[in-house]
């Protein structure tokens, strides 16, 4: 894989919750153009909080975050939306919009004040509806869809945004097996650079170029899956026993997991 410029640069970033918990602690890493960059870790490790720092819902208490060499807090909102699209874990349940209307909102960063929705925008929306098998339901209300259908709609909206960077928080949630594999397999077709959190270690190992492993808000490993994923690391971070194998078709590391009693977390342990 040929990598070029640094897209995101995170330098000693920290964020503290309103209750005083250090959700992200002194985390540093770089993401380069062309990567699928995965963030993994147990529940409460700080994965979603870190993503929110990247797409500016949260502002770092300390440290700095740069997008294409510019401090993220200095980038105007519309310009940022043209550079970064985001797919969240949970979608609003009370949209009074149709599926097509929701997907079309992805074009808003490119509409000037009072500009009409022209043929170019309509073409992009049509292509995104088709890509996610949403054409037949484009006139249905978003609020009546199943969780998996909603997830596909917000994917289509993000792609309609045509931003070079795509951030996804647990993108395979709510999806059946076929659509999970479709999402992971097609990530590199969706944007120049993809950043995502993943719960499934084996999916992450197979489809991500590099992984950042978080534990208690800190980065404990970063690198190619084959270089950093070991049974010892997973037991230390996830408190679960595993056996490292090789995926027979693609050759990536693959883990079989065992809920050994000895590997279960101590009841008195936080996080």
């Amino acid at each position: 894989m040929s990598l070029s410029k640094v897209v995101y640069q995170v330098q000693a970033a920290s964020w503290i919750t309103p209750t005083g918990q250090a959700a992200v602690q002194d985390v540093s890493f770089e993401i380069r153009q062309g990567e699928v960059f995965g963030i993994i870790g147990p529940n409460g490790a700080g994965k979603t909080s870190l993503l929110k720092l990247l797409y500016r819902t949260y502002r770092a208490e300390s440290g700095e975050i740069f997008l294409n060499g510019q401090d993220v807090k200095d980038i105007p909102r519309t310009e940022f939306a043209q550079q970064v699209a985001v797919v969240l874990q949970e979608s609003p349940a009370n949209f009074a919009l149709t599926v097509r209307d929701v997907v079309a909102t992805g074009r808003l960063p490119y509409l000037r004040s009072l500009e009409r929705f022209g043929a170019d925008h309509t073409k992009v929306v049509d292509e995104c509806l088709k890509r996610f098998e949403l054409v037949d339901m484009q006139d249905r209300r978003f609020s009546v869809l199943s969780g998996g259908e909603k997830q596909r709609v917000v994917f289509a909206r993000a792609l309609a945004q045509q931003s070079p960077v795509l951030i996804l928080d647990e993108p395979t949630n709510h999806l059946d097996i076929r659509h999970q594999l479709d999402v992971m397999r097609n990530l590199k077709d969706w944007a120049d650079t993809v950043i995502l959190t993943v719960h499934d270690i084996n999916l992450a190992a197979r489809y991500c170029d590099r992984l950042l492993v978080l534990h208690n808000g800190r980065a404990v490993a970063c690198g190619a899956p084959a270089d950093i994923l070991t049974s010892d690391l997973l037991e230390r971070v996830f408190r679960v026993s595993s056996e490292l194998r090789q995926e027979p078709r693609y050759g990536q590391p693959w883990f079989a997991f065992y809920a050994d009693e000895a590997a279960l977390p101590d009841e008195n342990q936080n996080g």
Side-chain angles (χ1 to χ4, degrees), residues 61-221:
E61 303 282 346
S62 60
E64 296 176 299
I65 300 175
F66 298 93
L67 175 64
N68 296 319
Q70 189 174 3
D71 195 314
V72 293
K73 64 178 180 292
D74 296 331
I75 303 175
R77 179 177 298 180
T78 298
E79 181 182 335
F80 188 84
Q82 291 174 356
Q83 295 185 58
V84 178
V86 180
V87 175
L88 304 178
Q89 280 193 52
E90 298 298 333
S91 304
N94 58 350
F95 271 359
L97 302 176
T98 66
V99 167
R100 185 179 187 87
D101 291 337
V102 173
V103 176
T105 61
R107 302 303 302 161
L108 293 179
Y110 303 95
L111 293 176
R112 294 183 293 271
S113 179
L114 302 180
E115 181 182 2
R116 299 185 64 181
F117 202 88
D120 290 344
H121 299 300
T122 298
K123 181 180 179 182
V124 172
V125 172
D126 287 342
E127 290 173 350
C128 292
L129 288 168
K130 183 177 180 180
R131 188 167 201 168
F132 288 93
E133 302 175 358
L134 297 169
V135 174
D136 290 343
M137 63 178 72
Q138 63 180 305
D139 296 322
R140 294 177 60 189
R141 295 290 178 183
F142 179 83
S143 58
V144 304
L145 303 182
S146 70
E149 290 168 340
K150 288 179 180 178
Q151 192 81 333
R152 285 157 51 201
V153 173
V154 296
F155 287 152
R157 178 179 62 180
L159 261 65
Q161 204 167 319
Q162 293 187 318
S163 304
V165 178
L166 178 61
I167 296 177
L168 308 106
D169 193 7
E170 299 293 348
T172 56
N173 275 5
H174 309 300
L175 298 180
D176 59 36
I177 294 173
R178 181 175 76 86
H179 286 103
Q180 287 183 27
L181 293 174
D182 284 347
V183 165
M184 299 300 292
R185 185 174 60 245
N186 291 310
L187 288 174
K188 288 191 175 183
D189 295 331
W190 291 1
D192 289 344
T193 305
V194 179
I195 307 162
L196 71 159
T197 59
V198 195
H199 264 308
D200 190 315
I201 304 299
N202 289 319
L203 280 180
R206 178 173 170 184
Y207 290 105
C208 294
D209 298 306
R210 286 196 303 139
L211 295 173
L212 175 70
V213 184
L214 292 181
H215 184 47
N216 292 330
R218 295 187 180 276
V220 297

